[in-house]
Amino acid sequence: MKVDIEIERSITIELPPEKVRPLFQDIETTVSRFPKLKKLVRVADNQYVWELSTIGSRMAKIAHDVTYGAHYQLSADGNELTWKPLAGKGNASISGRFRIAPTAKGSEVFFKVQGELRDVPVPLIYRLVAPPFIQGKFIHLVETFLERTREALLADKAPSAKKKAAAR
């Protein structure tokens, strides 16, 4: 069965955009915060294959080990990271974007992902409920990823604040 995924979320980070941009320059560290990431394999410059641990419920027999490839591209101003699927890599095609916009409180980080999961094993009885169930699982993963990203960026800020206080 094919299952479509489409998720849009945003978070506010109390840092200016120039402090958030490094997020897009270190793809491997950023991606490592994604829950269920089992393995990230670099196949070429800015091209990676993601292998995720099982998503879903094995008890309900709606579970899938997702693998997909993506080619990442950073915008000229450094405020947007986009990715497109790599053909023939895995059992999913995922594209998306990560964008930073300045706000009065710091930065708004927008995240959008869309695509399809292929060959999802779903018993006939669950065919109607499987797509929203799997979408819900992915929404939770994305929200956790964004929160981990915020925490990591704010944690990076904390040591520099301590250094400044110690220098006084």
Side-chain angles (χ1 to χ4, degrees):
M1 171 175 198
K2 288 184 183 179
V3 176
D4 292 328
I5 299 294
E6 187 164 345
I7 302 165
E8 277 189 69
R9 292 289 187 268
S10 67
I11 58 169
T12 300
I13 299 176
E14 297 77 19
L15 294 171
E18 60 271 10
K19 298 286 186 180
V20 179
R21 273 188 211 111
L23 175 73
F24 298 161
Q25 295 162 352
D26 186 357
I27 294 169
E28 291 180 27
T29 299
T30 298
V31 168
S32 73
R33 294 184 189 102
F34 197 86
K36 299 266 186 181
L37 180 68
K38 184 169 35 174
K39 190 174 178 183
L40 183 69
V41 178
R42 183 178 177 185
V43 293
D45 286 343
N46 297 318
Q47 295 183 7
Y48 296 89
V49 172
W50 290 50
E51 292 180 25
L52 299 174
S53 298
T54 302
I55 297 169
S57 169
R58 290 216 185 270
M59 286 188 72
K61 297 184 181 174
I62 304 174
H64 197 44
D65 294 336
V66 177
T67 301
Y68 73 94
H71 179 242
Y72 293 84
Q73 185 170 8
L74 185 60
S75 65
D77 66 3
N79 286 331
E80 185 172 75
L81 180 68
T82 58
W83 57 96
K84 294 184 179 174
L86 289 175
K89 300 286 184 187
N91 58 11
S93 297
I94 308 287
S95 62
R97 69 182 183 135
F98 225 164
R99 185 173 46 88
I100 304 166
T103 67
K105 293 185 177 186
S107 300
E108 187 80 10
V109 178
F110 298 93
F111 182 88
K112 181 177 182 175
V113 66
Q114 59 197 30
E116 79 174 12
L117 310 178
R118 295 183 298 275
D119 307 322
V120 180
V122 177
L124 188 59
I125 193 168
Y126 294 126
R127 294 279 167 135
L128 289 176
V129 297
F133 174 76
I134 292 170
Q135 172 85 5
K137 292 290 187 181
F138 268 92
I139 287 170
H140 177 71
L141 295 175
V142 166
E143 289 173 347
T144 302
F145 168 68
L146 291 174
E147 191 54 43
R148 286 179 179 177
T149 299
R150 178 201 332 245
E151 290 169 2
L153 287 167
L154 293 175
D156 284 347
K157 175 187 164 191
S160 62
K162 288 179 186 175
K163 287 179 191 175
K164 285 180 186 177
R168 291 184 197 160

